[in-house]
Amino acid sequence: MKQKKSITLISSLALTIIFLNIQGCKHHPVIEPKEHCFKTEVLPIFLQNCTNSGCHNSIDKAEGYDFTHYDGILQGLKPYDPEDSKIYKYINKTDEDKMPPDPYPPLTSEQKLIIYEWIAAGAKNDPNCDTAQTVDCDTTAISYSQDLVPILNQYCVSCHTTSSPSGGVALDNYSSVKTVADNGRLYGSIARLPGYVPMPYGQGPLDSCIVIKFDAWIKAGAPNN
């Protein structure tokens, strides 16, 4: 009888240990770390989904976070550990704490996977990883009138006209565009650099090739060609 009680007690202890181990176990997805280019693959996801008006941009800095640049994003994650990263946790929530919040759409499964793999691989920021994309984006012979004016008309002129210059900036004539190109405000805003109001305001970021073309044009002296 005494032997049976001992066996029962040992069995109970064994089951308790197993249960506690299961309870304390983290069930990480079976996803291999993968290197992603921060500038061309990861940052655009944050700019498009997290930096709208009132959110995590360089002006509003909701909850103290600015997701318009690498250092700001790094504050919300733990390199090599996506499951323990605040950003990854919140983009997977489905309750009132989910990010992006309503009425904005949630990140796609592909976008979440990119963020997971990038964090798991160390959340690195390789400054040279966008070389291939820059080569693919043709920046030879950029024409202000042919290449850039149509973009300004489509995304900017509705707010930035000479008669109603939002923020004191007019973008419906060359002289005014040249001014903000020379003082850095044009590139700073469309590239969504820290300290600049992200443009187009309240919308997702411009295609990276568009930003590259403006950068090339400005570096060439912003000619009226």
Side-chain angles (χ1 to χ4, degrees):
M1 190 74 174
K2 189 175 180 181
Q3 186 178 7
K4 282 188 176 181
K5 285 184 178 179
S6 298
I7 293 172
T8 302
L9 179 60
I10 292 170
S11 299
S12 297
L13 287 171
L15 287 172
T16 301
I17 292 170
I18 292 171
F19 176 75
L20 290 173
N21 283 337
I22 292 173
Q23 287 293 96
C25 178
K26 278 188 176 181
H27 299 285
H28 294 276
V30 183
I31 303 174
E32 292 295 325
K34 181 180 178 182
E35 297 284 351
H36 286 280
C37 181
F38 173 74
K39 186 175 180 180
T40 60
E41 296 181 85
V42 180
L43 181 58
I45 296 174
F46 284 93
L47 293 178
Q48 184 175 1
N49 296 280
C50 309
T51 62
N52 292 295
S53 178
C55 298
H56 306 294
N57 55 61
S58 59
I59 303 300
D60 300 303
K61 296 182 181 178
E63 303 298 326
Y65 289 104
D66 178 2
F67 291 162
T68 63
H69 58 97
Y70 176 73
D71 289 338
I73 294 171
L74 200 61
Q75 292 178 6
L77 56 84
K78 186 176 180 180
Y80 301 105
D81 192 352
E83 292 289 329
D84 201 28
S85 294
K86 190 173 183 180
I87 285 175
Y88 187 73
K89 290 178 181 178
Y90 274 81
I91 63 175
N92 283 286
K93 283 180 175 287
T94 57
D95 56 17
E96 65 274 7
D97 293 328
K98 65 182 178 181
M99 290 293 165
D102 291 330
Y104 302 108
L107 270 63
T108 65
S109 298
E110 181 182 7
Q111 290 172 327
K112 291 178 182 179
L113 178 60
I114 288 174
I115 291 175
Y116 182 97
E117 292 175 333
W118 175 68
I119 296 174
K124 299 171 186 176
N125 181 18
D126 180 0
N128 300 314
C129 67
D130 65 328
T131 303
Q133 179 167 343
T134 303
V135 172
D136 292 339
C137 183
D138 186 8
T139 58
T140 58
I142 298 294
S143 166
Y144 170 73
S145 59
Q146 297 297 318
D147 297 311
L148 306 185
V149 168
I151 296 170
L152 293 170
N153 287 339
Q154 180 178 353
Y155 294 103
C156 311
V157 170
S158 60
C159 297
H160 300 282
T161 62
T162 303
S163 58
S164 181
S166 179
V169 175
L171 298 174
D172 58 350
N173 65 88
Y174 170 75
S175 178
S176 297
V177 173
K178 169 73 170 169
T179 297
V180 290
D182 290 344
N183 64 25
R185 291 184 67 184
L186 177 60
Y187 180 77
S189 290
I190 64 173
R192 303 194 168 204
L193 299 179
Y196 293 90
V197 179
M199 292 293 171
Y201 190 73
Q203 301 181 44
L206 294 173
D207 181 84
S208 57
C209 188
I210 291 177
V211 178
I212 289 171
K213 286 184 176 181
F214 270 96
D215 184 41
W217 175 71
I218 293 170
K219 287 177 178 177
N224 186 11
N225 53 358

